[in-house]
């Protein structure tokens, strides 16, 4: 979770500062950043895409795009 936050905000604040504030090492962040996607994560992303695609046409009052949730 911390590395994801740093990855999302590294264009706003320096990575070294974010790592210091969140108590993680810069080398750990860069290792995480360059790590290939795991099979589990790829599968979860695929299931999420399929689910969102199926739900978009049904019950629009229940469906919210990820950026509005």
């Amino acid at each position: 979770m911390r590395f994801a936050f740093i990855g999302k905000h590294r264009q706003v604040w320096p990575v070294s500062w974010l790592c210091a504030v969140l108590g993680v090492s810069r080398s750990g962040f860069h290792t995480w950043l360059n790590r290939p996607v795991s099979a589990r994560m790829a599968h979860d992303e695929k299931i999420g895409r399929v689910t969102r695609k199926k739900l978009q046409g049904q019950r629009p009052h229940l469906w919210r795009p990820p950026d509005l949730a």
Side-chain angles (χ1 to χ4, degrees), residues 6 9-21 26 29:
I6 294 169
H9 294 92
R10 66 188 175 145
Q11 302 301 326
V12 179
W13 295 296
V15 170
S16 59
W17 185 82
L18 289 168
C19 289
V21 168
R26 287 186 345 203
F29 168 70

Side-chain angles (χ1 to χ4, degrees), residues 46-69:
K46 181 181 176 184
I47 295 296
R49 281 192 309 270
V50 169
T51 303
R52 282 189 296 275
K53 186 176 180 180
K54 287 184 178 185
L55 288 176
Q56 280 181 334
Q58 302 173 3
R59 298 184 178 171
H61 63 283
L62 296 177
W63 169 250
R64 290 187 183 165
D67 58 333
L68 297 177

